Amino acid sequence: MTTTWDSLEPALSVRQVLTLERVLAGEPEVVAGASHLDRPVRWVHVAEAADVGVMLSGGEMVLTTGVLLAGDEDKQAEYVRSLHRAEAAAVVLGLGRAFPSPPDVMRRAAERCGLPMVVLHRPFPFAELTEEVQSRLVRRKFAAVSLSEAVRTELTALITAGAPLQRLLDEVARHSACPVVVTNLAHRVLGTAGERPAVDDVLRDWERIARQAGGTEGDGWIRAELGGRGERWGRIVLCGYRGDTATGRLLADRAAEALVLHRMLGGGAACSWEEQSAQSLLTDLVSGVVPARQLLPRARAAGLPVNRRTFVPLVVRDGDPTRLERLLRLLGLSGLVAELADGATAVLLSLPRDQDADALAAHFATRLRTESGRDRTVVAAADPRVAWDDVPTGLREAQHVADAVADSSAALDLPPVVRLKDVHLRGLIRLLRDDPHVQSFAERELDGLLRATDEDLLSVLRTYLATGRNKSRTAQLHHVSRPALYRRLEAIQGRLGVDLDDFEQAASVHIALLAHDAQQQ
């Protein structure tokens, strides 16, 4: 994506030129085309020839005294029409000997063409106007080019340093001083930057605003396409940019170049940005640092249906986010997927309220096990939520349930979707694992095995207690004979100084082992 000198439209409009002090000295009056005064002025050109249009390339403000047009109404009308065909920005006529008053033929022709026509009631040296305007245009062009190169250098340095997408967007927002949004071609938001309240205002009704804005750049909405090799896959939008349009286009172009380079060097696809967006949103929801109500515009802009929906918070242990995304699409379910810490993946389902949320969650979990070929895949869930403000609590509950059954032995006899009521004592121990009293209790109860560092005996004890002290099942799972298992159980009881046939003593050891395992995770 290359921006040439000629493509840098200047920052002055016809309206702005008319407010310059030197122009005001000539007492300007707009006599035609008043609704087109926001046209950009690319250059100022003094021309008296009747066929001036052939010498223009568009965007010029043409200054004339009309000395060669006086007395010939056909030439006057054709002069205006030729300027219109050449896409001139405006025509400025200095009143004097040739035209002591605004020529009606030229005024009517300009009004029909929509060409701003301005007359100067006082003698005015055109050289002063051309010098003033053109010096301003040159300064602004150089300033725009300088800013463009500074942004390019800074963004390239960030990419070279391995900065994430968000860091690049923050830098673009700093230079543009307005919200910055990156979307895919379906207007789904992949990233944002800028002052949070301003970004939230933009995202509140993002899809309607984005589609309504279309391809125009009115009201400071400036966009640049993202893509390469003839394929577009997204766009970056400066939302409400307050500077001139030309500089805004340069900023958007430099940002687009950087984002495309970032994607290429990262080796990822555009969907990886969608995953980052979902991860940021769900992480903020789980943490509770940002109130859920403030995250609602981001959720809506990310493509999650939020109006009159039932939300089902899920956490999948050892789930591949890409597979989970694919399964959601296959089942026709709306939701966000994001990888959290410690091998957990959050899935937030958004379902119509007339659907059976529990049944759909169970169907999702069953299909996931079938698709992955792993019977022990743990899908933890919180009860469905109908209020968005309750979603963070639900996600934390699902994460707690998933943590409580993180080890494989706990997942032996669990349902496809595990809920808080299914984890019983294990869930409570998980919550209390950092309590010093619980830690001391676990160390004291298991001291005989922990000091011996005999992982085999500890594993046998774990399985024996998890199966409800079923000796046959324990021997089968450890691939040993019953007599061999009895010898190991006797060794365990001897080292711990307990009788595992006694319910209270076995329960005490079981709680200590659960606490020990929770502390190791």
Side-chain angles (χ1 to χ4, degrees):
M1 184 184 302
T2 302
T3 304
T4 64
W5 175 270
D6 289 338
S7 69
L8 296 179
E9 292 184 3
L12 292 177
S13 66
V14 175
R15 190 187 309 277
Q16 290 172 317
V17 170
L18 297 181
T19 63
L20 297 178
E21 186 175 350
R22 291 190 180 184
V23 179
L24 291 175
E27 297 182 6
E29 178 190 359
V30 179
V31 297
S35 61
H36 300 279
L37 295 181
D38 291 320
R39 285 181 175 180
V41 176
R42 189 180 62 82
W43 209 244
V44 178
H45 190 70
V46 180
E48 301 289 357
D51 58 349
V52 63
V54 299
M55 297 181 286
L56 305 180
S57 57
E60 294 91 349
M61 173 178 277
V62 177
L63 311 180
T64 182
T65 62
V67 65
L68 300 181
L69 304 175
D72 191 330
E73 293 185 349
D74 289 339
K75 282 187 178 181
Q76 294 170 24
E78 178 55 27
Y79 183 85
V80 172
R81 288 193 293 267
S82 69
L83 295 180
H84 170 64
R85 288 193 297 270
E87 299 182 348
V91 58
V92 177
L93 175 66
L95 300 181
R97 286 180 301 171
F99 291 102
S101 62
D104 196 50
V105 172
M106 293 182 67
R107 184 190 60 77
R108 288 198 306 268
E111 193 65 48
R112 284 194 299 270
C113 294
L115 176 71
M117 180 175 174
V118 181
V119 296
L120 301 175
H121 287 278
R122 296 187 56 152
F124 187 90
F126 285 166
E128 290 187 12
L129 176 57
T130 57
E131 178 186 2
E132 174 78 12
V133 173
Q134 291 172 187
S135 65
R136 285 174 179 260
L137 296 181
V138 169
R139 286 199 302 270
R140 294 197 181 210
K141 282 185 176 181
F142 275 116
V145 171
S146 177
L147 175 63
S148 170
E149 290 308 309
V151 171
R152 173 184 278 152
T153 300
E154 292 174 15
L155 295 180
T156 301
L158 288 174
I159 294 171
T160 304
L165 171 66
Q166 187 61 52
R167 182 69 185 85
L168 269 66
L169 296 183
D170 289 340
E171 191 67 17
V172 175
R174 184 177 71 83
H175 282 287
S176 64
C178 70
V180 175
V181 177
V182 175
T183 76
N184 62 14
L185 295 181
H187 304 288
R188 178 174 175 179
V189 174
L190 308 180
T192 63
E195 295 289 337
R196 197 71 253 169
V199 172
D200 288 344
D201 285 343
V202 168
L203 296 184
R204 211 170 305 282
D205 196 11
W206 169 256
E207 186 168 343
R208 182 188 63 79
I209 293 174
R211 293 185 185 279
Q212 183 174 314
T216 65
E217 292 185 343
D219 298 325
W221 282 62
I222 299 174
R223 54 184 50 75
E225 301 298 325
L226 304 177
R229 299 177 182 176
E231 180 183 4
R232 292 188 303 119
W233 42 266
R235 57 179 60 89
I236 182 170
V237 187
L238 307 186
C239 307
Y241 180 70
R242 297 303 179 191
D244 63 274
T245 302
T247 304
R249 287 197 190 114
L250 277 176
L251 281 172
D253 286 347
R254 296 295 83 81
E257 288 176 358
L259 295 186
V260 171
L261 180 61
H262 182 273
R263 177 189 171 190
M264 291 173 58
L265 294 181
C271 65
S272 67
W273 287 2
E274 296 179 1
E275 292 167 3
Q276 291 178 39
S277 174
Q279 183 176 38
S280 172
L281 174 60
L282 292 183
T283 299
D284 285 347
L285 280 170
V286 171
S287 69
V289 174
V290 183
R293 182 60 49 183
Q294 293 183 20
L295 296 172
L296 189 58
R298 285 172 58 188
R300 183 183 290 111
L304 185 73
V306 295
N307 295 329
R308 299 189 59 78
R309 307 289 287 192
T310 297
F311 303 101
V312 183
L314 305 174
V315 171
V316 181
R317 272 289 168 190
D318 300 321
D320 177 13
T322 303
R323 177 181 285 118
L324 294 173
E325 282 271 14
R326 188 165 55 245
L327 182 57
L328 285 181
R329 291 193 295 269
L330 182 64
L331 298 179
L333 299 176
S334 297
L336 294 178
V337 176
E339 189 171 6
L340 304 178
D342 302 325
T345 301
V347 180
L348 179 60
L349 298 180
S350 173
L351 308 173
R353 290 190 179 176
D354 59 353
Q355 293 187 349
D356 188 334
D358 289 339
L360 285 173
H363 181 55
F364 174 81
T366 302
R367 284 293 299 270
L368 177 60
R369 289 188 175 189
T370 301
E371 295 283 334
S372 64
R374 300 175 61 186
D375 291 337
R376 296 187 180 183
T377 297
V378 174
V379 178
D383 291 333
R385 264 64 174 168
V386 294
W388 174 257
D389 288 344
D390 295 335
V391 168
T393 303
L395 283 168
R396 288 193 289 272
E397 180 182 312
Q399 189 175 36
H400 165 64
V401 173
D403 289 343
V405 294
D407 61 287
S408 59
S409 64
L412 291 176
D413 300 310
L414 292 173
V417 177
V418 187
R419 302 184 185 277
L420 197 58
K421 64 182 179 61
D422 299 313
V423 296
H424 306 295
L425 180 62
R426 188 180 301 276
L428 176 63
I429 296 298
R430 183 77 187 192
L431 287 175
L432 300 175
R433 65 177 179 171
D434 294 325
D435 188 297
H437 297 292
V438 174
Q439 294 171 356
S440 177
F441 169 76
E443 291 289 326
R444 185 173 60 252
E445 287 290 300
L446 301 176
D447 182 63
L449 285 182
L450 297 179
R451 278 191 296 108
T453 64
D454 194 331
E455 288 296 326
D456 181 58
L457 291 183
L458 202 62
S459 177
V460 169
L461 175 62
R462 185 179 291 110
T463 304
Y464 180 62
L465 295 175
T467 58
R469 294 183 293 172
N470 186 319
K471 294 182 176 65
S472 298
R473 180 64 173 152
T474 302
Q476 181 183 17
L477 289 172
H478 282 270
H479 308 289
V480 298
S481 64
R482 289 285 292 271
L485 175 65
Y486 294 156
R487 288 192 295 272
R488 295 181 187 185
L489 291 177
E490 289 174 1
I492 291 171
Q493 293 180 105
R495 293 187 182 185
L496 296 180
V498 298
D499 179 6
L500 292 178
D501 289 330
D502 180 86
F503 176 78
E504 184 174 341
Q505 294 182 55
S508 181
V509 172
H510 194 184
I511 292 172
L513 186 58
L514 291 176
H516 170 75
D517 288 346
Q519 292 160 16
Q520 306 307 307
Q521 294 171 3

